[in-house]
Amino acid sequence: QVQLVESGGGLVQAGGSLRLSCAASGRTFSTYHMGWFRQAPGKEREFVARIRGSTIYADSVKGRFTISRDNAKNTVYLHMNGLKPEDTAVYYCVADPSLSMVVRGTWTYWGQGTQVTVSS
């Protein structure tokens, strides 16, 4: 069983930066795929980024966002630079031990979400 708790969201002006954190329970953190999704009001949840050994990003955030992990702290981060109003959403941390589930988008474990609002 994995528990995920996000933090670091807030209000930022366009062009600014935020770093989101996700604290995960368990000693098997390093073996799990970790990632971030986001959902804006009235829109479907969309994939943002994921990491295990390597990293993968959605085209919309590539070059602006960086996902990283600190296995000693059981924590995954999403460093967001050059934020745009269209980045406004609730950001969810996700985890799953199975690549097949990750590819399907059916991640097993989800955090509660943290709000990111980018103003113009």
Side-chain angles (χ1 to χ4, degrees):
Q1 193 74 24
V2 176
Q3 192 169 12
L4 307 172
V5 180
E6 303 100 327
S7 63
L11 175 65
V12 64
Q13 293 185 17
S17 300
L18 282 174
R19 189 184 75 168
L20 306 183
S21 299
C22 173
S25 66
R27 58 176 286 274
T28 61
F29 174 79
S30 64
T31 71
Y32 274 61
H33 296 86
M34 303 293 299
W36 294 90
F37 277 71
R38 66 186 183 185
Q39 186 170 29
K43 294 186 176 181
E44 295 183 349
R45 259 196 295 250
E46 66 171 340
F47 168 78
V48 176
R50 64 179 172 94
I51 184 172
R52 199 167 78 165
S54 58
T55 58
I56 295 176
Y57 298 90
D59 288 341
S60 60
V61 306
K62 194 174 300 181
R64 298 188 297 120
F65 291 11
T66 302
I67 187 171
S68 62
R69 65 197 299 166
D70 185 338
N71 290 336
K73 296 182 177 180
N74 285 357
T75 301
V76 62
Y77 304 96
L78 186 68
H79 193 166
M80 304 181 291
N81 296 315
L83 284 163
K84 305 174 181 179
E86 52 261 45
D87 294 318
T88 296
V90 176
Y91 283 71
Y92 296 92
C93 180
V94 293
D96 204 290
S98 172
L99 179 61
S100 62
M101 298 294 281
V102 168
V103 171
R104 284 175 52 90
T106 54
W107 297 71
T108 300
Y109 301 103
W110 292 74
Q112 82 287 350
T114 186
Q115 177 71 47
V116 172
T117 302
V118 184
S119 65
S120 59

